[in-house]
Amino acid sequence: METSVDQLVTKIYKNDIQVKRIRKEIQQLSENKIEHLAIEYQGSPFGIKILLQVLPSAFDQKELSRLPNRNLPFMFEIFLGEKFPFVFPKFFCRTTVFILKDPL
């Protein structure tokens, strides 16, 4: 685990159970080297944001051809609030997806 991420965790979370659990979650994400996935961690006054970028190469090209933004990564955000793991994380999709209908 990167030192900066570890410092981020210990700065935000004071409870030992929380620190251990978050370190475990981050370690599992970091160990799963997924070819088409980029992970970034950001701190906020209320918790940690995990930013995930899923590259277009991870998807079937035929299905992507129906998307106008097919060359852009899909962006997701997982927010681990200051009460995590005692409350569920919040998941957000930060990519707007429009599907083009097949012409008649």
Side-chain angles (χ1 to χ4, degrees):
M1 184 182 322
E2 298 176 12
T3 308
S4 60
V5 175
D6 195 47
Q7 289 173 349
L8 192 63
V9 170
T10 55
K11 180 180 174 184
I12 295 171
Y13 303 97
K14 305 301 180 203
N15 183 322
D16 286 342
I17 293 171
Q18 289 177 297
V19 171
K20 287 179 185 177
R21 175 68 186 272
I22 291 171
R23 283 181 177 159
K24 178 182 173 187
E25 298 292 337
I26 290 173
Q27 182 179 4
Q28 286 178 341
L29 264 178
S30 301
E31 286 176 354
N32 293 325
K33 297 288 184 197
I34 300 173
E35 186 177 329
H36 309 284
L37 182 68
I39 303 170
E40 182 183 331
Y41 304 96
Q42 292 181 350
S44 80
F46 307 107
I48 293 179
K49 291 181 192 178
I50 302 172
L51 305 172
L52 302 173
Q53 280 189 4
V54 182
L55 303 177
S57 56
F59 300 99
D60 178 69
Q61 294 304 309
K62 182 179 178 185
E63 290 298 320
L64 277 180
S65 67
R66 298 177 59 205
L67 301 177
N69 54 347
R70 63 183 149 269
N71 297 322
L72 300 175
F74 289 83
M75 307 291 290
F76 298 92
E77 183 178 303
I78 303 171
F79 181 73
L80 306 177
E82 55 191 1
K83 294 185 179 184
F84 181 82
F86 308 112
V87 295
F88 292 113
K90 293 176 176 56
F91 292 85
F92 303 96
C93 179
R94 297 295 184 203
T95 302
T96 302
V97 178
F98 296 100
I99 298 176
L100 299 175
K101 295 197 180 223
D102 293 326
L104 296 174

